[in-house]
């Protein structure tokens, strides 16, 4: 596959996306631990996120040295990406509003994760990246598992943790980080380097 500017830039942005939101979900997992493992768990999460951000930036910087390849095809991809992103944001806003109005605020993290997982499915079709189907389905499965999990709190030694939040947060973080690392390695190995396979 040809190493295009759009593929490198798109992959870099995708890796940074996975790094940022993966670390945010790790923060949810840390909240569930309620102080257990502090500060080591937090530092590990931040370190993983930083490594991925650096990797993503390296692709973006490399893309600056490549020729532009503007096309109607790229504009269509960007348009539909924005539509998916806006739809995701609106659904999350609606879910939060409904859960708060019905006194079901504890369901918010799980429902948000399901929405995030579902949003990967149209992106997989848009960018021709089968990996995103796996990412989306796995996030949805983790979210459903945590919504069904009982009890919501468990004892870890003498420390009580919120198991649902920890499982959801760290589960989603690991899925997103793994997706980012996979994108990184695919491009480094010369695979998937065309505009239809970049984010």
């Amino acid at each position: 596959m040809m190493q295009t500017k759009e593929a490198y830039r798109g992959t870099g942005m995708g890796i940074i996306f996975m790094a940022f939101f993966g670390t945010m979900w790790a923060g949810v997992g840390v909240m569930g631990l309620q102080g257990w493992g502090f500060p080591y768990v937090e530092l590990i999460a931040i370190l993983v996120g930083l490594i991925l951000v650096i990797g993503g930036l390296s692709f973006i910087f490399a893309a600056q040295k490549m020729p532009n390849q503007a096309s109607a095809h790229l504009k269509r991809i960007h348009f539909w990406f924005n539509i998916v992103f806006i739809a995701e944001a609106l659904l999350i806003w609606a879910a939060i509003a409904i859960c708060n109005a019905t006194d079901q605020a504890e369901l918010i993290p799980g429902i948000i994760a399901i929405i995030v997982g579902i949003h990967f499915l149209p992106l997989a079709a848009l960018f021709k990246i089968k990996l995103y189907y796996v990412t989306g389905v796995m996030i949805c499965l983790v979210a459903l598992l945590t919504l069904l999990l009982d009890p919501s709190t468990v004892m870890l030694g003498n420390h009580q943790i919120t198991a649902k939040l920890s499982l959801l947060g760290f589960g989603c973080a690991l899925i997103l980080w793994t997706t980012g690392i996979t994108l990184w390695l695919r491009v480094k190995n010369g695979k998937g380097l065309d505009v239809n396979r970049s984010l």
Side-chain angles (χ1 to χ4, degrees):
M1 294 269 182
M2 183 172 60
Q3 299 182 9
T4 66
K5 179 172 185 174
E6 193 64 25
Y8 260 72
R9 182 166 53 195
T11 299
M13 292 175 63
I15 293 171
I16 291 172
F17 175 93
M18 302 302 169
F20 179 75
F21 287 101
T23 304
M24 283 188 63
W25 277 109
V28 173
V30 167
M31 288 173 57
L33 292 179
Q34 301 188 67
W36 184 89
F38 178 83
Y40 306 108
V41 178
E42 291 88 336
L43 291 175
I44 291 171
I46 292 170
L47 179 61
V48 173
L50 284 175
I51 291 172
L52 282 172
V53 167
I54 292 170
L57 288 174
S58 71
F59 286 111
I60 293 175
F61 292 147
Q64 302 306 313
K65 302 176 182 179
M66 299 177 180
N68 290 317
Q69 294 180 315
S71 68
H73 178 63
L74 291 179
K75 291 179 180 179
R76 183 184 68 83
I77 289 177
H78 292 153
F79 171 79
W80 284 110
F81 174 78
N82 290 333
I83 293 297
V84 172
F85 181 80
I86 291 169
E88 178 192 23
L90 290 174
L91 285 172
I92 289 174
W93 175 83
I96 292 173
I98 292 171
C99 287
N100 283 329
T102 57
D103 294 323
Q104 299 290 330
E106 71 277 3
L107 299 178
I108 291 176
I111 293 175
I112 288 176
I114 290 173
I115 294 170
V116 170
I118 290 173
H119 111 284
F120 275 99
L121 305 183
L123 293 184
L126 180 63
F127 295 119
K128 313 293 186 196
I129 301 179
K130 293 181 180 179
L131 173 64
Y132 286 172
Y133 287 118
V134 178
T135 301
V137 170
M138 290 297 293
I139 289 176
C140 288
L141 288 176
V142 169
L144 289 172
L145 176 63
T146 57
L147 287 172
L148 297 173
L149 187 66
D150 190 50
S152 61
T153 61
V154 297
M155 297 299 296
L156 195 60
N158 295 322
H159 193 93
Q160 180 175 282
I161 67 170
T162 306
K164 286 189 174 186
L165 274 184
S166 291
L167 177 60
L168 178 65
F170 290 123
C172 290
L174 288 173
I175 293 167
L176 292 172
W177 285 337
T178 301
T179 301
I181 292 170
T182 304
L183 288 174
W184 187 345
L185 294 177
R186 278 179 54 179
V187 176
K188 279 294 185 183
N189 293 330
K191 298 179 181 179
L193 291 176
D194 74 274
V195 72
N196 289 328
R197 294 180 181 275
S198 61
L199 182 67

